[in-house]
Amino acid sequence: KAGKEWTADVNFNRSKNTNNSDISFRSFNHMNQLDPKSPAMLQEIEGGGRNTFLTMQTDYVNPINDNMKWEGGLRAQIRTFESSQLNYLNGDFNPLISNNFEYSDYVYAGYITFSQKVKDKLSYQLGLRAESSSYEGVQLGKAKYTNEFPLSLFPSVFLTKAIGDKQDLQLNYSRRINRPNFFQLMPNTDFSDPLNYQTGNPDLKPEFTNSLELSYQKTYGKTNNTFLATVFGKYTTDLISRYQNRQKVGSSDTTAFVSTWINASTAYAAGLELVFRNNVTKWWEVNLNTNVYYSKINGSNVVADLENER
């Protein structure tokens, strides 16, 4: 019948990359003086990698009548990555600062939603998504890493109510997941900039966010101008955050400040957004918006009393 459909698709992508760089560097004893502390060094980097990405998804939509329908679907996602960085100093291969890393992650999910319109004044949508995810990685010759989340549930509620002539209120709640990307997980230390070492954290976990949002929208005037006010709040656990500390560089004996990623304990965010859209003429539209935002990150699980507030 009209609107009832079942779709399915499969996507596969494969790619590879290579990169090479030569970096010449020298240290000096004093600023603005040609007083070399060491002879010039040449760092040669041979890098590369490849990845595959497979996604399979199916969705089913069934309208019960003009005002009600339900939807459901399944999804599987499999990704594999390989990355290498071979470092040479003055032509000699240095295995202590060289890396090879292989990584695979798996996500399996299913969802169902139900939506309904009630007397042209109220509409709502209820949803629930279930996901199972895991990843495994190996730094060849060094270590193996695994992380697994057997089952996570993600409910959502969306409500819209008309409260007058061209006015409505919307209330939304959802729970979402943000997984670390490949570069945030990869423990290969990037040595291309001796003053800014960077590495990933294979023990990173996904962050989970509960969001609540209330919006008021009004359309007014002969040219259908719009005013939108939104207040929102977010609570996140295991927030993925940038972190810098002094540590050993790769497998060498050198210590330096290294930038990486961590899971902060919790984070709070709240804000207010006001948007005015004015249609001055048929060809001229003026938009004005104002934002008030507050956030607080609690990283006491990494360093005692570590907080970031703004």
Side-chain angles (χ1 to χ4, degrees):
K1 63 182 180 181
K4 184 177 182 180
E5 61 181 26
W6 176 37
T7 59
D9 61 81
V10 177
N11 291 281
F12 178 78
N13 176 274
R14 181 171 185 148
S15 63
K16 65 178 182 178
N17 68 85
T18 58
N19 59 83
N20 297 279
S21 60
D22 294 337
I23 303 170
S24 179
F25 61 94
R26 177 182 290 185
S27 299
F28 295 87
N29 287 314
H30 302 287
M31 292 288 290
N32 302 320
Q33 294 185 23
L34 297 179
D35 183 14
K37 184 178 180 179
S38 62
M41 301 284 288
L42 176 64
Q43 180 183 9
E44 301 168 84
I45 302 175
E46 296 179 1
R50 59 183 178 179
N51 66 77
T52 59
F53 192 6
L54 173 65
T55 303
M56 298 174 287
Q57 182 168 331
T58 181
D59 298 278
Y60 179 71
V61 181
N62 183 20
I64 299 172
N65 53 43
D66 291 341
N67 296 318
M68 287 190 293
K69 72 174 180 179
W70 68 270
E71 305 173 51
L74 299 171
R75 176 184 174 93
Q77 174 183 296
I78 301 172
R79 298 186 297 178
T80 62
F81 294 91
E82 298 177 20
S83 178
S84 66
Q85 187 186 71
L86 307 180
N87 282 268
Y88 298 81
L89 293 177
N90 291 334
D92 296 326
F93 176 64
N94 191 329
L96 293 178
I97 60 174
S98 297
N99 291 285
N100 285 284
F101 188 63
E102 297 178 356
Y103 158 92
S104 300
D105 74 2
Y106 310 88
V107 179
Y108 305 101
Y111 78 93
I112 185 169
T113 64
F114 176 80
S115 57
Q116 181 181 13
K117 291 182 180 179
V118 182
K119 296 181 179 179
D120 296 327
K121 293 292 184 180
L122 175 67
S123 62
Y124 66 89
Q125 177 179 295
L126 307 176
L128 180 64
R129 189 173 83 255
E131 287 191 5
S132 172
S133 61
S134 63
Y135 91 85
E136 54 191 31
V138 56
Q139 197 172 14
L140 300 182
K142 297 180 181 179
K144 292 184 178 181
Y145 310 93
T146 60
N147 218 328
E148 189 171 10
F149 291 83
L151 184 65
S152 300
L153 298 177
F154 302 92
S156 61
V157 179
F158 301 92
L159 303 173
T160 302
K161 180 174 176 57
I163 58 174
D165 185 32
K166 297 183 178 181
Q167 300 179 74
D168 60 61
L169 282 174
Q170 296 180 356
L171 179 64
N172 304 327
Y173 164 78
S174 64
R175 183 174 189 254
R176 301 183 183 277
I177 184 173
N178 178 35
R179 296 183 180 83
N181 61 42
F182 170 62
F183 295 103
Q184 292 172 327
L185 290 167
M186 186 174 63
N188 295 5
T189 303
D190 184 359
F191 296 97
S192 59
D193 183 355
L195 301 178
N196 185 27
Y197 295 117
Q198 300 183 63
T199 186
N201 177 5
D203 293 322
L204 269 184
K205 298 180 291 185
E207 63 181 31
F208 296 86
T209 300
N210 290 277
S211 299
L212 185 64
E213 182 178 286
L214 176 64
S215 299
Y216 167 77
Q217 179 172 287
K218 178 177 176 60
T219 303
Y220 62 93
K222 295 180 180 180
T223 56
N224 290 325
N225 302 314
T226 303
F227 167 67
L228 176 65
T230 303
V231 60
F232 65 88
K234 296 180 181 181
Y235 172 71
T236 303
T237 57
D238 293 322
L239 179 75
I240 298 173
S241 305
R242 203 84 154 119
Y243 180 68
Q244 186 182 66
N245 69 330
R246 195 168 186 85
Q247 58 180 272
K248 282 190 175 182
V249 179
S251 300
S252 69
D253 294 328
T254 302
T255 60
F257 281 103
V258 180
S259 296
T260 186
W261 301 88
I262 61 167
N263 287 110
S265 179
T266 57
Y268 307 87
L272 171 66
E273 181 178 18
L274 304 176
V275 179
F276 295 86
R277 190 186 70 184
N278 298 281
N279 301 306
V280 181
T281 67
K282 291 182 179 180
W283 54 269
W284 187 13
E285 179 182 287
V286 177
N287 292 297
L288 304 173
N289 66 76
T290 300
N291 290 278
V292 179
Y293 183 80
Y294 168 82
S295 70
K296 182 178 181 180
I297 300 175
N298 177 11
S300 57
N301 59 313
V302 179
V303 177
D305 300 322
L306 177 62
E307 290 187 348
N308 184 1
E309 188 173 5
R310 59 190 178 125

